[in-house]
Amino acid sequence: MEPSHKDAETAAAAAAVAAADPGASSSSGVVVQVREKKGPLRAAIPYMPFPVAVICLFLNTFVPGLGTFVSAFTVLCGARTDLPDRHVCCVFWLNIAAALIQILTAIVMVGWIMSIFWGMDMVILAISQGYKEQGIPQQL
């Protein structure tokens, strides 16, 4: 099995760092920044206040899709999402679509599990937004 192109780039970057600083120890390495690539449905989850996110998680846990449906209306109330280039109505309908997917697939347990994870994502986004507003560095 041959190394991938990304492995070669990482190795080349590490070699460049080692060549630039010959006095550095062998434990110094390359700082890598990781960014999560989100699909349109995942990126449409709004950043809500923490209590609202917890209520949506509770609703999603007991009635699949209901918390996601409620969160769609927070977009209309001005909640920020990771889709800044899309119109508010488009993001609203993406959240409604996610809620419908959760409701329709709940009978085979997939929608219920997806709904719980969606609610957990809402809470995680609310916590991360709180840290950003307060200027506190976060480690999740």
Side-chain angles (χ1 to χ4, degrees):
M1 186 171 144
E2 293 184 24
S4 69
H5 179 68
K6 289 182 181 180
D7 291 340
E9 287 178 354
T10 305
V17 168
D21 191 9
S25 67
S26 62
S27 65
S28 66
V30 178
V31 176
V32 178
Q33 182 179 8
V34 179
R35 287 191 189 172
E36 180 182 3
K37 183 177 179 184
K38 301 175 183 176
L41 282 179
R42 171 65 178 78
I45 298 175
Y47 288 86
M48 299 176 280
F50 183 74
V52 177
V54 170
I55 290 169
C56 288
L57 171 60
F58 181 79
L59 292 172
N60 271 348
T61 302
F62 295 104
V63 183
L66 184 59
T68 307
F69 185 76
V70 169
S71 75
F73 289 96
T74 64
V75 173
L76 296 178
C77 294
R80 189 180 64 80
T81 65
D82 289 331
L83 294 172
D85 55 333
R86 297 230 179 151
H87 194 268
V88 173
C89 288
C90 179
V91 177
F92 169 78
W93 286 112
L94 282 171
N95 278 295
I96 295 295
L100 288 175
I101 291 169
Q102 292 168 7
I103 291 167
L104 294 174
T105 59
I107 42 179
V108 290
M109 299 296 289
V110 173
W112 184 57
I113 294 168
M114 177 187 175
S115 185
I116 292 171
F117 278 109
W118 220 254
M120 290 172 24
D121 282 341
M122 291 176 200
V123 172
I124 290 169
L125 289 175
I127 291 170
S128 70
Q129 181 65 19
Y131 279 123
K132 287 179 186 175
E133 288 175 356
Q134 295 175 7
I136 300 171
Q138 61 178 341
Q139 292 182 356
L140 292 177

